[in-house]
Amino acid sequence: MSGNSAVVVGGGIGGLAAAIGLRLAGWDVTVVERADVLDDAGAGISLAANGMRALGALGVGEAVEAAARRQYTGGTRTPDGRRLAAMDGAALERELGAPIVGIPRAALHRILREALPATSLVIGSEVTEVTEVTEGDTTRPPRVRVGVGGTTLEADLLVAADGINSRLRRRLFPTHPGPVHSGSTVLRAITERPVDGLKADFEITWGHGAEFGHIAFPDGTAEWHAVLNAPAGVRYRDPLTEVRRRFGRWHEPIPSLLAATRPEAVLHHDVSELATPLPSYVSGRVALLGDAAHAMTPHLGQGACQALEDAVTLAAALAEARTVEDALARYDAARRPRSQTVARDARRAGRMGQQLAHPLAVGLRNAAIRLTPPGAMVRTVLRHADWTPPRIVPRAAWTQTDDAA
Ligand code: FAD
């Protein structure tokens, strides 16, 4: 199906990727983003092979690879620097057919944005209302009317990519409990300069109820994140001093990463998730996508990768199916089981990793990891990275033979 129109609510990674995919499927797309500046400057992000393959299907894989650093070296350590598990990213790349990379979010966002015509982006506007328009006319397919500020947009499809606190999800699934606090809080930043002695491309270190990790970038700077067990809403007067107090005596390069960070660069967020899975990712002519559909904890580094998978799957279904309803049913069937499994596994990974606090339990876990064969733990973390994107082939591009089949 092509020649139709869609409004995408939210210009995050998921919304922009969906817009690129829908355009490849032959749809007219408008992205509405409430922020004044379309720039997810957050910090950095790891993209596993599945995310990279999704970006490849959207035609931006090479640009992302060029702006990213391949994660070949690193793994997991204990605070005194002892190795728990090593990562061989080159071997994983050969196995999975795509690299695992680290990239500043701002760079990823820019690449996605630049793959769309500026005219398809409406920035600084909040979607406040959505209604299905049938007007009693059963001869016409239903359309969706979207209230944006003082005006309205009408389209054949609405993609709700409005993030973890999705207003559209609340409106469509009013009895769903919404996001809940995971028990963790995260402080993170990008260093202001390259960090001396930064050897590992990606590394995490587990203490007791605490994790410190870094993602290195091509220019030698890095993002670091410090995750702590903490009640919702905890805030520190001076976040960088607090991170130094808790992690400053952990192994190198942690002190060097913190020394290369400006205090005002530190971001602090509680980690929340949709612990209760949604009963559907579709309601009428609305498809939920990304964190709006399946916000998960970051312990497997899969939230954005799953949003990218959503985007490609939705676009491929819309390109292929004969009706929007059929495409949305396929999208829901393909995406809900997989992304909800990944979300569940991310929660479990957090409980066995960063959140594990009792010294005995931590000791037993570490001993068990050391007994596993080399690479086994990294493979467990990356078990969801093996995913092949569907092809986005607009019906107009089908050959006569394809159509007959
Ligand atoms: P968002 O990025 O939240 O975008 C939603 C957008 O919608 C926002 O721009 C918002 O302004 C806009 N919006 C909201 N409401 C409206 C409205 N009514 N009208 C208009 N616009 C609206 N994932 C990975 O794959 N790898 C990682 O390494 C990784 N690390 C992470 C580390 C941390 C600490 C955290 C918290 C998450 C991490 N993730 C990671 C997950 C990833 O960040 C998210 O899954 C991803 O950014 C979700 O993208 P999204 O587009 O669905 O939502």
Side-chain angles (χ1 to χ4, degrees):
M1 257 178 31
S2 61
N4 291 331
S5 64
V7 171
V8 177
V9 185
I13 294 168
L16 294 178
I20 296 168
L22 263 62
R23 281 176 51 80
L24 290 176
W27 282 54
D28 288 332
V29 185
T30 306
V31 180
V32 184
E33 166 57 50
R34 73 174 166 206
D36 290 329
V37 181
L38 197 51
D39 182 10
D40 186 353
I45 196 163
S46 275
L47 295 169
N50 56 322
M52 290 305 289
R53 296 187 107 178
L55 288 162
L58 295 173
V60 292
E62 282 179 18
V64 171
E65 273 192 46
R69 175 158 159 173
R70 281 174 148 78
Q71 293 180 343
Y72 282 165
T73 59
T76 313
R77 291 180 187 270
T78 54
D80 59 7
R82 276 185 299 160
R83 170 82 62 205
L84 275 177
M87 120 170 218
D88 181 350
L92 288 164
E93 181 176 342
R94 282 193 298 277
E95 229 171 82
L96 297 169
I100 307 157
V101 306
I103 185 169
R105 280 177 185 258
L108 174 62
H109 216 261
R110 179 181 45 74
I111 291 165
L112 296 174
R113 216 167 54 222
E114 287 177 359
L116 291 166
T119 48
S120 66
L121 304 173
V122 179
I123 312 297
S125 297
E126 182 164 16
V127 168
T128 48
E129 194 47 57
V130 178
T131 42
E132 297 261 348
V133 188
T134 49
E135 294 172 344
D137 179 358
T138 50
T139 59
R140 282 192 317 147
R143 284 169 66 81
V144 185
R145 187 175 295 151
V146 186
V148 185
T151 61
T152 55
L153 296 171
E154 223 181 272
D156 300 298
L157 171 71
L158 181 82
V159 179
D162 51 344
I164 186 167
N165 294 311
S166 169
R167 174 199 286 253
L168 296 177
R169 184 185 61 234
R170 278 202 306 277
R171 158 108 166 53
L172 299 169
F173 298 95
T175 58
H176 186 272
V180 293
H181 180 53
S182 69
S184 301
T185 199
V186 58
L187 298 104
R188 53 194 168 142
I190 292 182
T191 62
E192 64 169 332
R193 51 184 154 82
V195 180
D196 290 339
L198 192 65
K199 294 193 196 89
D201 299 321
F202 170 84
E203 193 158 71
I204 57 172
T205 301
W206 282 335
H208 299 91
E211 169 184 311
F212 192 98
H214 80 257
I215 299 171
F217 301 139
D219 64 358
T221 62
E223 92 114 45
W224 57 258
H225 62 264
V227 197
L228 296 162
N229 290 353
V234 69
R235 287 296 173 268
Y236 307 109
R237 201 168 47 81
D238 179 349
L240 184 56
T241 300
E242 180 64 19
V243 177
R244 284 189 178 136
R245 187 180 75 75
R246 293 194 183 229
F247 298 92
R249 280 199 268 280
W250 286 22
H251 66 83
E252 281 291 353
I254 295 170
S256 300
L257 285 159
L258 297 179
T261 303
R262 282 182 297 116
E264 57 276 23
V266 180
L267 306 170
H268 184 183
H269 296 102
D270 288 345
V271 178
S272 299
E273 60 159 332
L274 279 192
T276 306
L278 277 177
S280 176
Y281 288 178
V282 170
S283 174
R285 287 289 181 111
V286 183
L288 284 99
L289 178 147
D291 278 9
H294 46 64
M296 58 190 73
T297 68
H299 298 102
L300 290 179
Q302 274 288 334
C305 293
Q306 291 302 306
L308 293 167
E309 287 190 13
D310 291 345
V312 175
T313 307
L314 178 63
L318 287 166
E320 198 180 317
R322 289 182 188 277
T323 67
V324 176
E325 283 68 24
D326 183 24
L328 293 184
R330 287 193 207 182
Y331 167 71
D332 182 52
R335 294 304 307 149
R336 199 154 41 86
R338 174 163 163 83
S339 55
Q340 291 180 346
T341 300
V342 177
R344 184 203 60 202
D345 289 354
R347 186 179 318 123
R348 286 182 181 165
R351 287 187 185 146
M352 286 309 293
Q354 175 263 312
Q355 293 181 329
L356 203 63
H358 192 283
L360 188 61
V362 169
L364 286 171
R365 177 202 62 203
N366 292 355
I369 292 173
R370 287 199 179 95
L371 287 174
T372 59
M377 189 196 138
V378 175
R379 277 197 166 68
T380 306
V381 171
L382 288 171
R383 65 193 173 285
H384 297 298
D386 193 3
W387 176 81
T388 305
R391 286 181 59 221
I392 304 169
V393 186
R395 286 187 81 84
W398 290 9
T399 63
Q400 292 289 328
T401 329
D402 288 338
D403 226 348

